[in-house]
Amino acid sequence: MNRSFALLRTAYAVSRFLVQERDMPTLLQGICDRLTGEAIYRAALLALLDQESGGMITAETGLGEHAAPLMAELREGRLPSCGARMLHSDAMDVVACADGACTLCATTDPQSLPRAFCAPLRCSSGLSGFLILLMPPAVEPAAEEQSTIAELAEAVTQALRQLFLFEAVKFREQELRQAEERYELALHASQAGLWDWNIRTSEMYTSPDQWELLDYREGDAAQNDVRRFIHPEDRERVLAVLNEHLTGVTDEYRIEYRVMEQGGELSWFLDRGRVVERDENNMPVRMTGTHQNITLQKRQEQALAAVQQQLHDAVDVERNFLQTVIDSAGDPVMVIDLDYNLLLINRAATRLVRSTGEIATLQGQKCYRLFCGADGPCQDPRFPCPVEAVKRRRRPAKLIHNSFHGNRINNTFELEVSPLKNGQGELYGIIEVARDITDRLRIEKELRDSQSHFYRLAHHDTLTGLPNRLLLRDRLAQAISKAERNRTGVAVLFLDLDQFKVINDTLGHDVGDNLLVEVAARLQRQCRQSDTVARLGGDEFVFVLEAVNSREDAAVVAEKIMAALTVPIRVNGHELNISTSIGIALFPEDSVELEGVIKCADIALYAAKEIGRNNVQFYRRDIVLNGRRPQLDERQFREALATDGLCLEYLPQFGVESNRMVGLKSCFTWKHPEMGVLQPGDFLAVADECGMLASVSWWLIERVCRDLRDWRAQALACVPVTVPLTSRQLQHPDFLSTLERTLADTAIAPELLVIEVREGTLAHASGRTLALLTRIRALGPGLAVDGCGIEYCSLPCLQQVRIGRMAIHRELLAALVGEAGTDTLVAAVIALGHALGLTVLVDGVERESQLVFLRAHGCDLAQGPLYSPPLSGRQAADLLRSGTLGG
């Protein structure tokens, strides 16, 4: 189940809960519980603040040990920073909190971004708050997560508003009920007035408190005699009802009417009476009855009608809100009562009914008639009726219906049916969510049919077919378990190919891939049936040898592996000579744990590569410090920069003809307290990853410039100093400004500094990089390119950025003299450099014969062991004083 679907499902669960719950604390806590119930969010905090009283209502789930201190801060008025911003902002948008100082969001994994989402809750002008949802560690938000949270927050806000309105209506209803009771008591205490009317004489007796007579006679005289009179609109109706009773049409005289008071106000009265005496002609003689002021009762009825109308409106709003919520669900959703009447249905479900019509016309109809066209509930035992299933089990049910509906839809649906209960816990219906699982069932069948294929894909390397890292760990665990039972040993051999990267980069990835396939085949031929050979990735392979009783047994296999790989391999028309370095660890001699054996073999491999190519090293405890793969971090880099852990040396550069020193090349290393001497290639990439590459670059440039300044202060004849930099160092945003500032601070001649880049940097340089090199050249420093003849050639770039010098890679010079092809290539590169107007330097001169060759072909500069090893700053100063090759 993907995150988007799980989030929608959780939103639906919250929305359904909002509709059912009416208790404020239970509602708030239930919201937090459901948002964290399926691990959609790690934790949830909901807070509401009354602006007038300053009171706060909170609920939380998932905060654990952080809950108590956080609640203490909330009671003191200190809110999480994202929540405080939300309260003081009028914006209604959901924001992602990535504030490391936030008292709530900072408790999550700092590598997970965003860490949390904060949504506003604007219930009223005096009541607002926020909902904070903390993401689980290492989980990416869904594409529409913020909009879904915003809709959910709006739903929560609407529910809270409805709850407050509902509470207000209940309060008003209670007040009105109390008023009604008081009115009834008052009416009971003050009995209605009694009247006795002598119709012949028009005399009327009334109770002492009802002496104000109502005269039904017409005429000005009658109206002048009374202090109040029947409302003109009611007078004809009163007389008509009275006449009907007097003539015997009705058994009782009963009439409600309005009375105009002297001040113009209206009062309501109820008159009830009966003719108690008639003459011999059946004419009425005497009539008695009561006269009662029912103004308060009428007002009460009007108030109750208003309350009922408000309740009706509130129910309509709530129903419309619920309809909006369920309409947003993509799956069909229905609410059905126990008599199979459809109470609610969303738009997705209406597309499945047999008949067409608006939602309002479908509500109240029988579900089995709408969806199945049947006259009664489903009786098919294969597809149980959802209503009957919940009535029988009294708990949620999950059902499968094939050919679920008849509206030309014959797909398979999964029904999730939940009981719907009233406030007393009594079942009165079900909530049904239908999910089309036709595609899911088809995919599951396809997955089952191809299970073995997917298993192989998951456990084997796609290129070589060898077991991958996952299967290797399983095989190694089995081998260790078997060795523990049989009291034998297990050997783990880590190996990788020497200089595979050179083959891959120079001949192409196709050649590299085919080489790995052939290597894998050769390695498999060295395995017993009980052994395992796996590929971890790249050119790294691992052997697991079972029933190994001594180092000699493992050494025999290692020698066989090395011998098998020394035979030349022909790939894509290239005959390749390869070798391998192997590290070996033994169980239980080196470690009694799976992870420990793997780590020991890795350390042994790294030790083998440090010693040289094409050799085997067993794990030894004394190589842990020097053989360990570099595990560097920002703290170690800062300590090295603060304690002179980085060491700067200078390699002299000499004129081939003059034999005089004409330049220096800066070389720096790291004297690591545990790992020994590290070359730049061992730690620059790590420095880039942990954000320390710029600091290392500034250290190098500033040290070189300070040495040049000091040498000038000693009146030495300074020569240009070459500073090799990687493309990542050059691309730092502050590189150019820092270089310019350093040159100005040290006041050295800019031409004494030469920035050297690799040939590959120019070959793949973007327009931005080329522009940067041009700006560096404009500041005064020279530009040089290293690695010519091995990496890619980029002749246009050499001229575009005014490169002054090219350096031929030492690997080309190592093959001199004797290989005619190499001699020709070196001579061609020298000639090409001169044709482009460049000074040509050769790196790695070791033999006099190489120097003779270089002089014969007009090479300009050279450096290497034949001239001088790298020198300290003081030794370089001494050499500057002499200006010649010593000794």
Side-chain angles (χ1 to χ4, degrees):
M1 183 183 297
N2 59 40
R3 181 169 181 82
S4 296
F5 178 77
L7 185 60
L8 182 59
R9 179 174 177 175
T10 300
Y12 168 71
V14 173
S15 299
R16 188 176 70 181
F17 177 72
L18 295 177
V19 173
Q20 296 175 343
E21 189 54 54
R22 286 296 176 269
D23 178 69
M24 172 68 75
T26 305
L27 179 68
L28 299 183
Q29 187 61 50
I31 292 170
C32 295
D33 291 346
R34 282 159 176 77
L35 288 173
T36 59
E38 294 185 7
I40 294 298
Y41 294 102
R42 179 184 176 188
L45 171 65
L46 193 154
L48 294 175
L49 180 64
D50 190 337
Q51 304 292 342
E52 297 179 357
S53 66
M56 180 179 293
I57 307 174
T58 62
E60 63 84 21
T61 300
L63 294 182
E65 61 183 7
H66 301 286
L70 180 62
M71 292 303 168
E73 291 186 355
L74 291 177
R75 285 193 294 272
E76 295 176 5
R78 298 198 301 272
L79 306 178
S81 58
C82 55
R85 290 195 302 271
M86 191 63 68
L87 284 176
H88 293 90
S89 172
D90 293 332
M92 297 298 293
D93 296 331
V94 174
V95 298
C97 181
D99 188 354
C102 183
T103 56
L104 176 60
C105 306
T107 62
T108 61
D109 181 3
Q111 297 301 322
S112 299
L113 294 175
R115 303 174 188 168
F117 292 98
C118 184
L121 303 175
R122 309 274 192 247
C123 299
S124 65
S125 59
L127 184 64
S128 60
F130 54 85
L131 173 63
I132 300 178
L133 301 176
L134 277 64
M135 292 290 293
V139 173
E140 293 291 333
E144 300 296 328
E145 183 144 347
Q146 283 191 249
S147 61
T148 302
I149 294 174
E151 294 175 0
L152 186 59
E154 179 61 24
V156 172
T157 301
Q158 290 293 338
L160 291 173
R161 290 174 181 168
Q162 294 301 320
L163 182 57
F164 294 140
L165 177 60
F166 183 77
E167 292 296 328
V169 170
K170 285 178 59 179
F171 178 75
R172 291 181 60 185
E173 184 178 8
Q174 183 179 4
E175 284 187 332
L176 289 173
R177 193 158 45 245
Q178 293 174 352
E180 181 181 5
E181 293 174 357
R182 289 193 294 269
Y183 295 154
E184 290 178 354
L185 291 174
L187 290 173
H188 180 73
S190 58
Q191 299 179 353
L194 178 65
W195 52 267
D196 189 354
W197 181 25
N198 188 327
I199 300 175
R200 288 179 176 177
T201 63
S202 296
E203 295 178 347
M204 182 175 288
Y205 167 80
T206 64
S207 300
D209 57 348
Q210 295 291 330
W211 61 271
E212 294 178 322
L213 301 180
L214 288 176
D215 194 346
Y216 297 157
R217 295 172 299 173
E218 297 183 1
D220 295 339
Q223 294 185 7
N224 291 333
D225 292 340
V226 297
R227 300 185 179 182
R228 51 189 178 178
F229 56 90
I230 298 174
H231 194 282
E233 295 179 359
D234 295 345
R235 185 176 183 82
E236 293 297 330
R237 181 170 57 85
V238 170
L239 294 177
V241 173
L242 177 61
N243 288 331
E244 286 179 354
H245 179 66
L246 293 176
T247 57
V249 176
T250 59
D251 294 334
E252 181 187 22
Y253 166 67
R254 189 181 189 283
I255 186 67
E256 294 180 1
Y257 56 89
R258 294 170 293 174
V259 170
M260 293 289 296
E261 303 287 352
Q262 281 187 321
E265 298 179 355
L266 287 177
S267 297
W268 280 88
F269 283 85
L270 170 63
D271 279 9
R272 301 180 67 178
R274 188 185 300 273
V275 173
V276 295
E277 185 180 350
R278 292 181 180 272
D279 60 13
E280 60 278 7
N281 297 321
N282 200 33
M283 296 298 293
V285 176
R286 181 184 174 195
M287 182 176 179
T288 61
T290 60
H291 178 65
Q292 184 178 3
N293 190 327
I294 60 170
T295 303
L296 293 178
Q297 179 182 344
K298 281 293 185 180
R299 290 176 181 174
Q300 179 186 15
E301 291 175 355
Q302 292 173 352
L304 288 175
V307 170
Q308 290 175 351
Q309 184 62 42
Q310 288 182 347
L311 289 173
H312 179 74
D313 294 342
V315 170
D316 284 344
V317 171
E318 190 170 341
R319 177 181 288 273
N320 292 335
F321 165 70
L322 178 59
Q323 188 68 51
T324 301
V325 171
I326 65 174
D327 280 343
S328 65
D331 293 329
V333 179
M334 290 159 282
V335 179
I336 306 171
D337 67 14
L338 299 183
D339 293 327
Y340 312 102
N341 297 312
L342 195 64
L343 302 181
L344 281 175
I345 182 172
N346 71 346
R347 295 193 181 277
T350 60
R351 293 192 287 268
L352 303 178
V353 300
R354 289 173 174 266
S355 60
T356 59
E358 295 296 327
I359 291 178
T361 64
L362 300 178
Q363 293 173 352
Q365 299 190 45
K366 300 295 183 182
C367 59
Y368 49 77
R369 186 171 293 114
L370 281 175
F371 294 111
C372 303
D375 295 328
C378 179
Q379 303 296 326
D380 192 334
R382 297 174 301 167
F383 313 126
C385 172
V387 176
E388 293 299 325
V390 173
K391 287 171 64 177
R392 183 174 62 256
R393 301 177 186 178
R394 297 285 170 168
R395 63 176 183 270
K398 183 175 289 188
L399 309 173
I400 300 296
H401 274 209
N402 204 353
S403 301
F404 178 62
H405 293 304
N407 191 17
R408 299 181 181 178
I409 297 178
N410 297 318
N411 291 350
T412 302
F413 285 80
E414 178 183 73
L415 310 184
E416 289 192 10
V417 190
S418 302
L420 188 61
K421 301 180 180 180
N422 59 20
Q424 289 72 41
E426 298 171 344
L427 180 69
Y428 73 91
I430 66 168
I431 300 175
E432 176 184 318
V433 179
R435 185 173 298 108
D436 190 336
I437 59 171
T438 307
D439 290 339
R440 191 189 80 187
L441 294 177
R442 175 180 54 79
I443 293 172
E444 288 176 354
K445 183 178 182 303
E446 293 175 355
L447 289 175
R448 287 192 300 270
D449 293 342
S450 59
Q451 182 177 7
S452 60
H453 174 66
F454 285 115
Y455 178 85
R456 181 169 182 81
L457 289 179
H459 292 81
H460 290 79
D461 175 51
T462 56
L463 177 64
T464 64
L466 295 177
N468 60 12
R469 188 184 301 270
L470 180 63
L471 185 54
L472 169 69
R473 294 178 67 87
D474 180 66
R475 296 276 181 87
L476 180 56
Q478 295 181 28
I480 290 176
S481 178
K482 187 184 299 182
E484 289 175 337
R485 293 195 304 269
N486 300 334
R487 298 181 181 277
T488 59
V490 178
V492 178
L493 283 64
F494 268 43
L495 62 144
D496 65 8
L497 305 182
D498 297 326
Q499 292 192 325
F500 173 75
K501 185 178 184 303
V502 175
I503 296 174
N504 214 30
D505 292 344
T506 56
L507 300 181
H509 292 285
D510 290 342
V511 174
D513 289 347
N514 292 335
L515 173 62
L516 292 175
V517 172
E518 177 59 28
V519 168
R522 292 191 182 186
L523 293 179
Q524 282 182 301
R525 290 195 287 269
Q526 312 309 314
C527 281
R528 299 172 297 179
Q529 188 173 1
S530 60
D531 297 335
T532 298
V533 58
R535 180 185 178 219
L536 299 186
D539 61 330
E540 293 185 328
F541 297 86
V542 178
F543 272 82
V544 176
L545 308 179
E546 296 187 16
V548 174
N549 298 314
S550 65
R551 287 175 175 256
E552 288 71 20
D553 293 343
V556 169
V557 177
E559 293 297 333
K560 289 174 59 180
I561 293 172
M562 297 184 70
L565 295 182
T566 55
V567 178
I569 299 176
R570 190 161 190 83
V571 178
N572 293 15
H574 301 277
E575 187 172 287
L576 304 176
N577 293 288
I578 63 171
S579 61
T580 182
S581 299
I582 303 177
I584 306 176
L586 301 177
F587 170 88
E589 180 179 338
D590 297 324
S591 178
V592 295
E593 297 179 352
L594 183 147
E595 293 292 345
V597 177
I598 292 176
K599 180 178 180 181
C600 291
D602 188 41
I603 291 173
L605 172 62
Y606 198 72
K609 295 180 71 66
E610 282 189 340
I611 294 174
R613 305 169 186 165
N614 197 28
N615 76 98
V616 178
Q617 289 293 312
F618 281 87
Y619 173 77
R620 305 185 311 276
R621 298 190 184 278
D622 60 353
I623 67 171
V624 173
L625 295 180
N626 293 328
R628 184 168 56 194
R629 290 183 183 268
Q631 300 294 327
L632 305 173
D633 54 29
E634 180 180 349
R635 177 188 59 81
Q636 297 182 61
F637 277 102
R638 294 194 182 280
E639 288 182 358
L641 292 172
T643 60
D644 293 329
L646 299 181
C647 178
L648 179 62
E649 294 181 321
Y650 295 96
L651 179 65
Q653 300 170 332
F654 289 83
V656 173
E657 292 294 336
S658 65
N659 217 33
R660 298 181 63 84
M661 186 179 70
V662 295
L664 295 168
K665 180 175 182 178
S666 61
C667 310
F668 75 109
T669 57
W670 184 352
K671 294 182 179 179
H672 197 280
E674 295 179 355
M675 304 175 190
V677 178
L678 301 179
Q679 299 298 324
D682 297 328
F683 60 82
L684 283 182
V686 182
D688 189 20
E689 292 175 1
C690 64
M692 291 300 295
L693 183 62
S695 299
V696 173
S697 303
W698 307 152
W699 176 90
L700 174 61
I701 293 175
E702 290 176 359
R703 281 292 302 273
V704 170
C705 290
R706 286 206 308 267
D707 284 347
L708 284 170
R709 180 193 61 191
D710 295 343
W711 294 339
R712 185 190 60 187
Q714 300 173 36
L716 301 180
C718 295
V719 295
V721 178
T722 300
V723 179
L725 297 174
T726 65
S727 60
R728 293 291 297 167
Q729 290 173 291
L730 289 173
Q731 291 170 3
H732 191 276
D734 298 332
F735 176 82
L736 194 65
S737 60
T738 303
L739 174 63
E740 186 175 7
R741 184 177 64 253
T742 303
L743 291 173
D745 293 343
T746 55
I748 65 170
E751 58 270 15
L752 289 178
L753 201 64
V754 179
I755 304 298
E756 184 179 71
V757 298
R758 299 285 298 179
E759 171 69 7
T761 300
L762 289 181
H764 302 289
S766 62
R768 178 182 176 184
T769 301
L770 296 177
L772 175 63
L773 291 173
T774 302
R775 295 178 65 185
I776 292 174
R777 188 70 182 86
L779 289 177
L783 295 177
V785 59
D786 187 23
C788 295
I790 293 296
E791 302 188 32
Y792 306 92
C793 184
S794 180
L795 300 182
C797 293
L798 292 176
Q799 294 181 320
Q800 181 177 348
V801 297
R802 294 171 56 197
I803 298 294
R805 188 187 71 208
M806 62 183 291
I808 299 176
H809 200 279
R810 62 171 57 237
E811 289 190 8
L812 284 182
L813 193 63
L816 292 176
V817 178
E819 297 187 16
T822 305
D823 293 356
T824 303
L825 179 58
V826 173
V829 174
I830 294 173
L832 176 62
H834 288 160
L836 295 174
L838 305 178
T839 300
V840 180
L841 179 145
V842 175
D843 184 25
V845 179
E846 299 178 350
R847 303 188 299 272
E848 187 67 33
S849 59
Q850 294 172 334
L851 185 58
V852 171
F853 177 86
L854 296 177
R855 285 175 179 162
H857 289 84
C859 183
D860 302 300
L861 307 176
Q863 63 189 29
L866 181 63
Y867 287 101
S868 172
L871 306 175
S872 65
R874 180 176 297 179
Q875 291 172 328
D878 294 339
L879 192 57
L880 285 173
R881 290 188 180 92
S882 65
T884 60
L885 178 62

